[in-house]
Amino acid sequence: AQKITQTQPGMFVQEKEAVTLDCTYDTSDPSYGLFWYKQPSSGEMIFLIYQGSYDQQNATEGRYSLNFQKARKSANLVISASQLGDSAMYFCAMRERTGANSKLTFGKGITLSVRP
Amino acid sequence: GAGVSQSPSNKVTEKGKDVELRCDPISGHTALYWYRQRLGQGLEFLIYFQGNSAPDKSGLPSDRFSAERTGESVSTLTIQRTQQEDSAVYLCASSFLGGEKLFFGSGTQLSVL
């Protein structure tokens, strides 16, 4: 089974509007972390936001917020007030803490296009 | 340096040749990761170093792939007898021990002709 699932096709949003990018995950580990990264056409991976499984509140970083629904195993990224520079690939990732495995497992990504 | 440095940024090679990809992590970062990203795809985990040891090599796709790290610093990913399916961007990332955030390099674009 996939650990991280991002199934949305390419997403489009009008500039200045909000957009939600979906991510569901699968783990039996009680302790884990969830991440979102942005990858513009230049190829660099830019960290956006992190949510720990025991965090009581949803993470926020500027225009980015993470809608964490633990029971549903979802960690959707909300981008408010979209900007043209937000056009990029967005990857959801998870780190499970138990054992020696400390890697991040990434989803397949979602392409976001912001329209002027 | 200020960020994770990878070299070369681009590598074109012929099928069957060996290649070495280099990663210079952020100073003080003890954890180092290699990922592969095929065109239009997500990131595939290859190997993780903690210091100079590699507790997780589970992502290396075949015995043609190997990696080492010396001095808790530079890491080299070696691909022997390259195949066309090895063509991808190879990304390196580093973090502090126990750090949540991975810092990525700009990657090496490998093209096997």
Side-chain angles (χ1 to χ4, degrees):
Chain A
Q2 285 189 12
K3 296 272 189 179
I4 296 288
T5 302
Q6 295 180 263
T7 57
Q8 288 168 307
M11 294 284 290
F12 293 86
V13 65
Q14 203 67 32
E15 193 178 8
K16 299 181 185 176
E17 294 189 349
V19 62
T20 298
L21 306 182
D22 295 343
C23 173
T24 58
Y25 59 91
D26 181 27
T27 181
S28 56
D29 192 330
S31 179
Y32 52 89
L34 297 159
F35 302 76
W36 278 91
Y37 279 83
K38 172 184 177 181
Q39 188 178 45
S41 57
S42 58
E44 64 199 295
M45 290 288 286
I46 302 168
F47 168 81
L48 296 179
I49 197 165
Y50 165 79
Q51 178 86 43
S53 59
Y54 291 122
D55 292 345
Q56 294 297 311
Q57 297 195 333
N58 287 345
T60 60
E61 291 281 353
R63 293 186 299 112
Y64 305 106
S65 60
L66 201 151
N67 184 1
F68 180 45
Q69 299 191 36
K70 195 169 182 177
R72 297 176 63 181
K73 293 190 175 177
S74 75
N76 298 341
L77 176 70
V78 180
I79 305 175
S80 63
S82 298
Q83 302 172 356
L84 295 178
D86 293 336
S87 294
M89 281 283 285
Y90 288 81
F91 292 96
C92 180
M94 175 174 65
R95 168 183 273 157
E96 296 165 295
R97 297 195 189 275
T98 57
N101 186 346
S102 186
K103 67 188 181 192
L104 259 64
T105 301
F106 285 82
K108 294 186 184 299
I110 301 169
T111 301
L112 175 67
S113 299
V114 180
R115 291 172 167 151
Chain B
V4 178
S5 177
Q6 290 189 247
S7 60
S9 55
N10 279 283
K11 176 71 177 179
V12 180
T13 190
E14 293 179 353
K15 179 180 170 181
K17 300 278 191 186
D18 298 352
V19 295
E20 281 191 355
L21 312 180
R22 176 187 167 107
C23 173
D24 222 322
I26 292 172
S27 178
H29 282 192
T30 55
L32 186 147
Y33 308 77
W34 283 99
Y35 285 86
R36 177 171 72 179
Q37 185 178 27
R38 290 196 168 109
L39 186 64
Q41 302 297 309
L43 276 69
E44 300 173 68
F45 169 76
L46 297 178
I47 188 169
Y48 155 63
F49 285 93
Q50 183 54 52
N52 292 339
S53 65
D56 190 348
K57 306 178 184 179
S58 63
L60 294 178
S62 75
D63 59 8
R64 296 188 296 105
F65 287 72
S66 63
E68 64 175 21
R69 188 180 185 194
T70 55
E72 294 197 350
S73 180
V74 172
S75 176
T76 303
L77 177 68
T78 301
I79 308 173
Q80 295 178 311
R81 305 181 302 282
T82 51
Q83 304 294 314
Q84 288 183 333
E85 66 258 26
D86 299 334
S87 296
V89 175
Y90 290 81
L91 289 159
C92 176
S94 69
S95 75
F96 288 110
L97 175 63
E100 296 302 342
K101 185 175 164 181
L102 267 61
F103 294 79
F104 281 84
S106 299
T108 293
Q109 171 74 64
L110 175 65
S111 301
V112 182
L113 304 179

